[in-house]
Amino acid sequence: GTNIFIDDFTVEEQPPCRAPINLSTTAIKSTEVTLSWTSKSAETSWNIEYGLDGFVKGTGTVIASGTNPTTITGLSPNTKYQCYVQANCGGVEGVSLWTGPLTFSTSCQALTTLPFSESFDGTTFPPTCWSAIKGNDYSYWARATSSSLGIPPHTGAGFLSLLVNSNQPGKRAILSTPPISLPSDGYELGFWLYRDENEREDSINIYLSNQPSPNNGVYLSSLHNKSTLTPAVNQPNQWYYYSFPFPAGSAGDYKYVVFEGVGVGGTKR
């Protein structure tokens, strides 16, 4: 089938002040976001317009910035926003066209009461202030109460499940906790994982990150569902407890535990 489409081809003189590209977020908190972009001219100042998701361009809040990246403060927790950036080249070069919109959501307030636990017994998924990103429609995290293997929850009514279609191997699905405030070093992550004799070699990569994504996160460990893979166990088809200490220097606000599920096919855990 056809996969490439082109329309309205032009050749024209470059504008004197070119619009920035690659507008993105580098850090998101409950009441602030840090934005970065790539300049296409030699400008040293920019205009940023932002507002609630879907706001009409020209009706948002506009701020001038002399730094890239720049941080917008005074936002509302757990709220979806859009933003634009414009280069200000000054003098006769003027300003560029706007780049955007970029859509982002502020996080929930960081959890400050520890220990924190989640049983996945509630029917809402992802749980409040957790985030789940599908690899695609064939790779995703979900709440389960049973599985095709007849696995019961370790305790309670539910458990976490990575679902992968056998025809779509290698897809990655992301699940992250709410932001957590670690008052000091010396904390660790712990959970139960069902190890089985399944032929498929699904795995979980675990990170401690400053955002709900493994990008730039600190790698903690990897685990497999298959009992003969690292770390191997002698008694398959049961739940095993694993814990991972957070590395030195982890103390601070807005830390996320991120699970990156890598599926080979069909496993639920």
Side-chain angles (χ1 to χ4, degrees), residues 111-183:
L111 298 171
T112 58
T113 301
L114 298 175
F116 162 71
S117 64
E118 174 56 59
S119 66
F120 302 104
D121 288 343
T123 58
T124 299
F125 189 87
T128 301
C129 292
W130 288 63
S131 65
I133 302 174
K134 291 184 178 181
N136 57 16
D137 288 340
Y138 302 96
S139 176
Y140 57 94
W141 292 96
R143 175 187 180 269
T145 55
S146 63
S147 77
S148 59
L149 302 177
I151 300 171
H154 177 254
T155 62
F159 59 95
L160 187 59
S161 172
L162 174 65
L163 305 179
V164 181
N165 186 293
S166 59
N167 294 323
Q168 297 286 326
K171 299 298 182 182
R172 297 170 184 263
I174 307 300
L175 181 74
S176 71
T177 65
I180 302 170
S181 177
L182 297 176

Side-chain angles (χ1 to χ4, degrees), residues 10 56 75 103 112 149 164 183 190 199 212 214 230 252 260:
T10 62
V56 176
L75 304 178
T103 301
T112 58
L149 302 177
V164 181
E199 294 181 359
T230 305
E260 181 184 49

Side-chain angles (χ1 to χ4, degrees), residues 22-247:
N22 301 328
L23 176 60
S24 64
T25 62
T26 59
I28 298 176
K29 296 184 179 182
S30 60
T31 59
E32 64 183 54
V33 63
T34 300
L35 304 174
S36 68
W37 55 86
T38 302
S39 295
K40 297 293 289 182
S41 296
E43 80 277 8
T44 57
S45 63
W46 299 267
N47 298 316
I48 299 169
E49 182 174 359
Y50 66 94
L52 295 176
D53 183 40
F55 81 97
V56 176
K57 181 72 185 67
T59 65
T61 300
V62 179
I63 60 173
S65 174
T67 60
N68 176 21
T70 194
T71 299
I72 300 173
T73 60
L75 304 178
S76 298
N78 197 25
T79 302
K80 196 172 185 180
Y81 289 89
Q82 286 185 328
C83 65
Y84 300 78
V85 64
Q86 177 190 60
N88 185 350
C89 298
V92 297
E93 294 182 349
V95 296
S96 73
L97 298 175
W98 289 92
T99 296
L102 171 69
T103 301
F104 64 91
S105 295
T106 52
S107 69
C108 294
Q109 294 281 7
L111 298 171
T112 58
T113 301
L114 298 175
F116 162 71
S117 64
E118 174 56 59
S119 66
F120 302 104
D121 288 343
T123 58
T124 299
F125 189 87
T128 301
C129 292
W130 288 63
S131 65
I133 302 174
K134 291 184 178 181
N136 57 16
D137 288 340
Y138 302 96
S139 176
Y140 57 94
W141 292 96
R143 175 187 180 269
T145 55
S146 63
S147 77
S148 59
L149 302 177
I151 300 171
H154 177 254
T155 62
F159 59 95
L160 187 59
S161 172
L162 174 65
L163 305 179
V164 181
N165 186 293
S166 59
N167 294 323
Q168 297 286 326
K171 299 298 182 182
R172 297 170 184 263
I174 307 300
L175 181 74
S176 71
T177 65
I180 302 170
S181 177
L182 297 176
S184 64
D185 288 348
Y187 285 81
E188 67 178 19
L189 160 72
F191 60 88
W192 292 83
L193 176 70
Y194 193 84
R195 308 296 303 281
D196 58 31
E197 298 175 293
N198 203 311
E199 294 181 359
R200 295 182 292 268
E201 300 177 0
D202 300 332
S203 62
I204 308 171
N205 301 322
I206 308 161
Y207 300 84
L208 182 66
S209 180
N210 291 326
Q211 55 186 322
S213 162
N215 296 339
N216 300 317
V218 177
Y219 171 78
L220 299 180
S221 188
S222 295
L223 295 172
H224 292 82
N225 66 312
K226 189 174 181 179
S227 61
T228 57
L229 298 180
T230 305
V233 295
N234 294 325
Q235 298 293 327
N237 304 319
Q238 57 183 291
W239 293 90
Y240 285 85
Y241 184 76
Y242 297 93
S243 63
F244 306 98
F246 295 145

